[in-house]
Each structure stands twice: as C-alpha cells, then as structure tokens.
Amino acid sequence: YVVLQGNTGAGKTKILKELKNRGYDILDLEGCANHRGSFLGSVGIGNCNSQKTFESLMYNQLKDRNSNLVFVEGESKRIGNVLIPNYIYDKMIKSDRILINTSLDTRAKNIVDEYTVSKDWKDEVVKGLNNLKKYISEKEISTYISMLEDNKTKEVVKDLMENYYDPMYKKGQDKYEYVFNIESDDINIVCDEIENWIKKHSEHK
C-alpha cells in the first residue's frame, strides 16, 4: 500500500479517484464503509455499512486490481461502526506514506461541498455536533448551531478544523515518517507529483 495522509478536507478521496482514473489501483476504505471516519462522517450518505458488506466491498476492489501497488487513504482502525481487518491495517502501518498539505480555505470548501448535498444535512450536522460534547464545550456547540442557522457554514467548518480536527489529526500524523510532502490545492498537480514519485520509485527497484 501507499498511504495518503492529510488533514480533514484535503481531498484525499478525490485524489484516490483521480489516481484510479489514471489507471492506478486504489482501496477506497471510506467508500466501502459508507462512512467518512469522523463524528460527522455519515452526514448526507446514510448509515454505515455492516462489517460483512465492508469486507466484501474491500475484497472486490483488491481482487480486481491490476498491480500490487495500491493507494489508500490513511485511516484509524475504526471507520464508523466497522473495523479495518488486521491483514490490511497491519500492512498499512508499515507502508510508505505521502502527506498532502492543502490550504484551510480549500479544505473548508471541500467539506461544505461534500456535506451539504442532502436536504437534511443541517439536522444531521447538529446531531453530530452534539456527539462532540466530551471534546467541545456546550457553549461552543451552541455557537456553532447558531452560526449554521445564520448560514455561516464555512466559518463553522474552518473553526472546527482549526480548533478540533487539525490538532487531533496532527498527533496521529506526527508519529509517521513520509516519503515526501505535497503542498497544493490542485488535485491534478498532487496526482502529477505522485506519478513522478511512482516512476522514480520503480526505477530504484
């Protein structure tokens, strides 16, 4: 595996899809789980898949691959209600990692675009925010809910990322070493750099 790491909203799933369009093999764990792996991970997409369905979808993606180089998004072992099997997760831990750095504005836009597609998204976000009470004060949650009612969705997202998600993910990211970092808001540039790395990586084998 080659693991794509990056903060919330960095567009890692979009990058995986673009790599697939370019002919590379991917394992879309969040797609298989039908969950984005966070407290707000089910907003707009329905219930998380069962463990059996999750593993069946993973198996089909891996079975149909064209090579033994598979791109995957960095995840914790649990995604929603399902667990990544040890035979995959243990290999991910030991795999090469690429860190994707994307601007806060672009990340916020990605989140807003992705999470606000269903008609009930606002109610689902409010429910998800209430699940964060052991991490965020009730006063902050009330402020976020008021901001959502005032259609300040992007401001809520940016504040949540800066004060909750980014610090949490930084702890996880700092424990890994990366083969290289990519800083860009353009998915095509990110994928071009990954392709260049693949070519160099193949030449040195």
Side-chain angles (χ1 to χ4, degrees):
Y1 298 103
V2 176
V3 181
L4 304 182
Q5 204 85 31
N7 285 339
T8 301
K12 298 182 290 295
T13 301
K14 289 181 180 179
I15 292 165
L16 283 181
K17 288 178 179 177
E18 176 58 24
L19 288 170
K20 185 177 181 180
N21 288 339
R22 296 185 183 202
Y24 296 100
D25 294 308
I26 69 166
L27 176 57
D28 181 4
L29 292 169
E30 292 185 357
C32 292
N34 197 47
H35 197 279
R36 302 186 193 92
S38 69
F39 281 100
L40 301 174
S42 63
V43 172
I45 57 175
N47 294 328
C48 182
N49 284 332
S50 68
Q51 185 71 29
K52 185 176 180 181
T53 299
F54 176 54
E55 293 189 22
S56 176
L57 292 171
M58 283 192 297
Y59 170 77
N60 287 331
Q61 287 190 20
L62 291 171
K63 175 176 66 72
D64 295 335
R65 71 187 187 280
N66 299 311
S67 73
N68 284 328
L69 181 69
V70 179
F71 288 92
V72 63
E73 183 177 338
E75 300 284 356
S76 59
K77 188 169 175 59
R78 178 179 292 278
I79 305 175
N81 296 324
V82 299
L83 296 172
I84 301 172
N86 287 336
Y87 68 89
I88 291 178
Y89 190 72
D90 291 347
K91 282 196 172 185
M92 286 172 60
I93 292 293
K94 299 172 185 174
S95 296
D96 286 337
R97 287 178 185 262
I98 297 171
L99 182 61
I100 315 294
N101 292 303
T102 310
S103 70
L104 182 62
D105 277 338
T106 295
R107 291 194 291 127
K109 182 181 184 304
N110 287 340
I111 291 292
V112 172
D113 289 347
E114 185 178 354
Y115 281 63
T116 60
V117 290
S118 69
K119 64 177 183 178
D120 297 324
W121 71 267
K122 202 171 284 187
D123 291 337
E124 292 182 59
V125 170
V126 169
K127 184 179 177 182
L129 286 171
N130 283 316
N131 290 332
L132 291 174
K133 284 180 179 175
K134 65 178 180 177
Y135 304 103
I136 301 174
S137 71
E138 290 194 29
K139 183 180 178 182
E140 287 175 300
I141 290 171
S142 295
T143 299
Y144 289 143
I145 292 172
S146 295
M147 290 170 70
L148 285 173
E149 294 303 323
D150 291 337
N151 295 316
K152 296 179 179 177
T153 309
K154 191 171 182 180
E155 289 85 346
V156 171
V157 170
K158 288 173 78 168
D159 202 78
L160 272 171
M161 287 197 291
E162 285 186 300
N163 296 307
Y164 170 67
Y165 283 105
D166 287 2
M168 180 178 67
Y169 281 112
K170 189 174 189 308
K171 290 179 183 177
Q173 288 174 3
D174 285 351
K175 67 184 179 183
Y176 297 113
E177 292 185 4
Y178 299 94
V179 290
F180 70 103
N181 297 1
I182 303 174
E183 294 201 21
S184 178
D185 290 352
D186 188 319
I187 285 174
N188 286 308
I189 291 173
V190 171
C191 290
D192 288 346
E193 292 205 31
I194 291 172
E195 280 199 285
N196 289 335
W197 174 78
I198 294 169
K199 290 169 185 173
K200 290 177 184 175
H201 188 69
S202 301
E203 288 168 3
H204 288 124
K205 281 200 165 185

